[in-house]
Amino acid sequence: SAVISQKPSRDICQRGTSLTIQCQVDSQVTMMFWYRQQPGQSLTLIATANQGSEATYESGFVIDKFPISRPNLTFSTLTVSNMSPEDSSIYLCSAKAGDTEAFFGQGTRLTVV
Amino acid sequence: AQKVTQAQTEISVVEKEDVTLDCVYETRDTTYYLFWYKQPPSGELVFLIRRNSFDEQNEISGRYSWNFQKSTSSFNFTITASQVVDSAVYFCALSGYNQGGKLIFGQGTELSVKP
């Protein structure tokens, strides 16, 4: 399976600021996704990152708050904008190639103070 | 709507005990995939198994086994002779065939294996 690298692995940010998380896959993939895992909770899909076009957001998530880019088949970024303490979560990048299982990065632990 | 329910929030066992993690799902899709992932304290999600809806054969991989029962919409996971290293949160997940790989996760079961 491919390897996903996420940066940063963790960060502590001030409220009102923005953080961009990078996701790099070591091989080309067809689909890339961003999930959020709030403390002690399950994973919730934020959006599907589409290569060369706007991301597809799930209900409850909007582009202004979580802008996503995917310039090529191996890289994507998620920005958490105008952060508040409620945004403190683990953000996970996921990818899959063809008819395979989805694999995940190690996640970015974000704390907003 | 699709939904995954893991009714067991936390399970605690003593090493070498067998333990079963329950997973019940809901979907209107006739073709779908079911998954189990492990999340150790370090936070990454580790893929354990994928099953498609047409394959109801039980699967065994070392100390791990999975029981897929379409009639009861369940996909249970058993760890035999548990070890301390099995301590983690385990997630069951569902993906419809036409969902493009999007996963619906259950709430997770936190397994604690004590020496």
Side-chain angles (χ1 to χ4, degrees):
Chain A
S1 61
V3 175
I4 298 180
S5 300
Q6 264 186 253
K7 291 182 185 179
S9 58
R10 60 177 65 232
D11 208 341
I12 301 173
C13 300
Q14 296 291 322
R15 66 178 67 199
T17 62
S18 297
L19 175 71
T20 295
I21 303 168
Q22 298 180 0
C23 176
Q24 178 73 56
V25 189
D26 69 349
S27 60
Q28 290 188 351
V29 292
T30 49
M31 309 292 292
M32 294 185 76
F33 309 92
W34 287 97
Y35 289 83
R36 181 176 73 181
Q37 186 178 22
Q38 294 176 300
Q41 302 295 314
S42 185
L43 286 82
T44 301
L45 180 65
I46 297 172
T48 302
N50 300 311
Q51 193 248 330
S53 64
E54 193 172 289
T56 304
Y57 289 84
E58 298 299 305
S59 176
F61 297 96
V62 295
I63 188 171
D64 290 345
K65 176 67 176 177
F66 297 103
I68 288 171
S69 77
R70 188 181 171 193
N72 56 50
L73 290 174
T74 63
F75 185 78
S76 179
T77 66
L78 167 74
T79 299
V80 186
S81 303
N82 189 23
M83 288 183 285
S84 67
E86 292 71 35
D87 294 320
S88 298
S89 298
I90 299 174
Y91 293 86
L92 294 111
C93 174
S94 173
K96 69 189 300 288
D99 186 29
T100 66
E101 68 274 9
F103 42 93
F104 287 79
Q106 78 275 29
T108 297
R109 290 178 185 267
L110 171 62
T111 302
V112 184
V113 298
Chain B
Q2 297 184 320
K3 185 179 179 181
V4 176
T5 301
Q6 294 178 255
Q8 305 150 308
T9 306
E10 298 178 13
I11 299 177
S12 182
V13 299
V14 176
E15 210 170 15
K16 298 184 182 177
E17 285 186 18
D18 298 347
V19 57
T20 295
L21 283 59
D22 297 334
C23 174
V24 174
Y25 62 93
E26 296 175 29
T27 181
R28 292 180 180 170
D29 292 341
T30 54
T31 305
Y32 51 89
Y33 296 99
L34 295 164
F35 304 80
W36 277 95
Y37 286 86
K38 174 182 179 180
Q39 187 177 43
S42 52
E44 77 275 18
L45 247 69
V46 178
F47 167 79
L48 296 178
I49 190 171
R50 180 180 81 160
R51 217 70 183 139
N52 76 53
S53 51
F54 294 111
D55 184 0
E56 286 193 72
Q57 278 195 331
N58 292 333
E59 180 152 342
I60 299 174
S61 176
R63 297 184 297 107
Y64 295 171
S65 63
W66 291 269
N67 180 259
F68 177 26
Q69 299 260 348
K70 216 168 173 179
S71 60
T72 56
S73 298
S74 65
F75 186 44
N76 296 337
F77 173 31
T78 298
I79 302 174
T80 303
S82 59
Q83 300 176 1
V84 173
V85 294
D86 295 327
S87 297
V89 180
Y90 290 85
F91 290 98
C92 181
L94 167 70
S95 179
Y97 182 73
N98 293 318
Q99 291 297 307
K102 296 191 294 186
L103 294 171
I104 306 297
F105 284 87
Q107 285 301 106
T109 296
E110 182 172 5
L111 174 65
S112 176
V113 182
K114 302 192 183 305

